[in-house]
Amino acid sequence: MGPGKHVSDRRCLRSQRSRVAVAVLVFVATLAIILPPAILVSLRKDNYSMGPKAKVFVPLYVYPTPGAWDPLLNVISAHPDVNFTVVVNPGSGPGPSPLPDGNYTKEVPKLAAHDNVRLLGYVATTYAKRNISLVRKEIETYAAWSTISGDPNLAVRGIFFDETPQQYDAGDLVYLEELTSIVRRTPGLGPDNFVFHNPGAIPDSRYLSTADSTVVFEATYDTFQERDGAKLFEGIPDSDRSQLCAVIHSVPESVGGSELRGLVRQARRIADEIFITHLSTDYYASFSGKWKEFVRMMAQ
Ligand SMILES: *[C@@H]1O[C@H](CO)[C@@H](O)[C@H](O)[C@H]1NC(C)=O
Ligand SMILES: *[C@@H]1O[C@H](CO)[C@@H](O)[C@H](O)[C@H]1NC(C)=O
Ligand SMILES: *[C@@H]1O[C@H](CO)[C@@H](O)[C@H](O)[C@H]1NC(C)=O
């Protein structure tokens, strides 16, 4: 047991220590190189698995008693990177007066003030059979809201034409083209001058190009499943998801969490505008219990 041995022991310990230190360094360096891409890959996989981003479409057929629109205003503020297309409908159209009632004139500007909201005014067309002068008058009523009220935020940026035809008819196409050109040239509907159609189902594809977006599915969750949602729109010639909107209602309460995620993902793959609700009656008259969860999934 001389000092020499002692020294060699110490040396041995020192070299062992440095070997451990090198091993730790190598391990940490390896982690530093491998981990960030691994994290990125898993994030990317997560994003990818939700499909392309889509806008939340909201048929807001809810009367704006004070607070009634708060569930919508709250998610709009909470998710500034989600875009919302919101249809307002004061009276199956703009209503009989130049301006809607005081609750509307107070609440509409709150929605319009958000950059991630595109407001549209509801107008019925009764399958292209409604007197087009009356339709034009309603479009002009919405367009005049901000000038008449003096409030730049009491305004819509386009029109949601409800009950547009499905079957092709040359006269109906001319009718819809005329409405589109009215919306496009009306300054009070800027800057978007957006045209939305709702035939409620896949229309003749010749109608699609007259609108910026078209509701090609408006039915229950069960129908979406039966018709194999993911393949639903394969049959529409010359269209792509950027032109399409899907409205799925009557989703069973039991469909939440990963099952709801699956539905949202499937819808995002086929349509750029989506509304999903668990309500099975008056689907557009209030917000379902899973409304916030749905919007969170749209944000992912
Ligand atoms: C949301 O709207 C903004 C402004 O129009 C646009 O730049 C952005 O791409 C939109 N995002 C989605 C996900 O639609
Ligand atoms: C706004 O809504 C409330 C509650 O429904 C109602 O009592 C009130 O008369 C409405 N105000 C206007 C100006 O219509
Ligand atoms: C449409 O309505 C306008 C204005 O009310 C009226 O003058 C016109 O005759 C109507 N046209 C048809 C085809 O009913």
Side-chain angles (χ1 to χ4, degrees):
M1 263 229 190
K5 189 167 189 291
H6 213 87
V7 166
S8 93
D9 261 354
R10 250 192 262 142
R11 245 185 232 141
C12 179
L13 203 62
R14 221 180 281 146
S15 80
Q16 232 171 340
R17 266 205 207 118
S18 66
R19 244 183 278 141
V20 168
V22 167
V24 165
L25 268 180
V26 167
F27 182 63
V28 167
T30 308
L31 276 188
I33 290 164
I34 288 173
L35 266 188
I39 289 167
L40 282 179
V41 165
S42 80
L43 280 178
R44 234 181 272 138
K45 219 166 100 191
D46 203 42
N47 281 339
Y48 175 70
S49 76
M50 280 312 283
K53 289 266 186 185
K55 302 173 185 78
V56 176
F57 175 74
V58 188
L60 185 62
Y61 305 165
V62 178
Y63 183 77
T65 54
W69 288 1
D70 284 358
L72 177 58
L73 286 160
N74 291 342
V75 292
I76 287 168
S77 305
H79 300 284
D81 48 355
V82 175
N83 290 341
F84 293 80
T85 300
V86 181
V87 180
V88 292
N89 184 11
S92 297
S97 312
L99 288 179
D101 77 34
N103 288 313
Y104 270 96
T105 56
K106 188 157 162 281
E107 299 298 319
V108 166
K110 290 187 192 167
L111 287 172
H114 291 271
D115 289 338
N116 56 333
V117 173
R118 173 184 283 147
L119 280 181
L120 303 177
Y122 177 100
V123 173
T125 58
T126 323
Y127 310 99
K129 298 297 172 256
R130 190 166 173 227
N131 185 328
I132 199 164
S133 311
L134 299 179
V135 174
R136 177 198 294 263
K137 195 161 170 288
E138 292 193 350
I139 296 169
E140 288 166 352
T141 299
Y142 282 114
W145 276 2
S146 66
T147 34
I148 291 180
S149 66
D151 182 347
N153 278 332
L154 185 58
V156 298
R157 296 164 162 234
I159 299 294
F160 178 79
F161 292 109
D162 199 17
E163 297 178 336
T164 58
Q166 294 171 16
Q167 301 296 323
Y168 180 74
D169 175 275
D172 290 353
L173 181 58
V174 169
Y175 179 102
L176 292 178
E177 283 171 347
E178 173 60 15
L179 294 182
T180 297
S181 98
I182 293 169
V183 173
R184 298 281 191 241
R185 66 173 184 251
T186 301
L189 302 175
D192 299 346
N193 302 86
F194 206 83
V195 175
F196 222 114
H197 284 175
N198 182 22
I202 298 171
D204 187 284
S205 64
R206 280 165 282 188
Y207 290 131
L208 287 177
S209 59
T210 61
D212 296 300
S213 188
T214 300
V215 180
V216 288
F217 184 89
E218 183 185 11
T220 65
Y221 172 83
D222 288 346
T223 306
F224 191 76
Q225 300 302 317
E226 278 158 25
R227 290 173 51 193
D228 196 355
K231 299 202 177 89
L232 203 54
F233 310 135
E234 274 174 6
I236 312 178
D238 306 322
S239 77
D240 65 76
R241 64 178 286 288
S242 72
Q243 300 172 284
L244 308 180
C245 171
V247 173
I248 304 167
H249 59 72
S250 311
V251 179
E253 274 308 315
S254 61
V255 176
S258 63
E259 218 179 327
L260 183 56
R261 269 178 72 91
L263 177 67
V264 171
R265 184 173 52 219
Q266 208 177 13
R268 276 167 54 161
R269 288 224 174 96
I270 57 180
D272 189 44
E273 304 254 4
I274 297 165
F275 183 66
I276 291 177
T277 181
H278 288 68
L279 297 178
S280 55
T281 54
D282 297 328
Y283 341 106
Y284 314 134
S286 60
F287 298 94
S288 86
K290 293 195 168 64
W291 163 244
K292 279 203 264 182
E293 193 178 351
F294 161 60
V295 177
R296 265 203 307 275
M297 288 169 182
M298 291 294 281
Q300 286 169 352

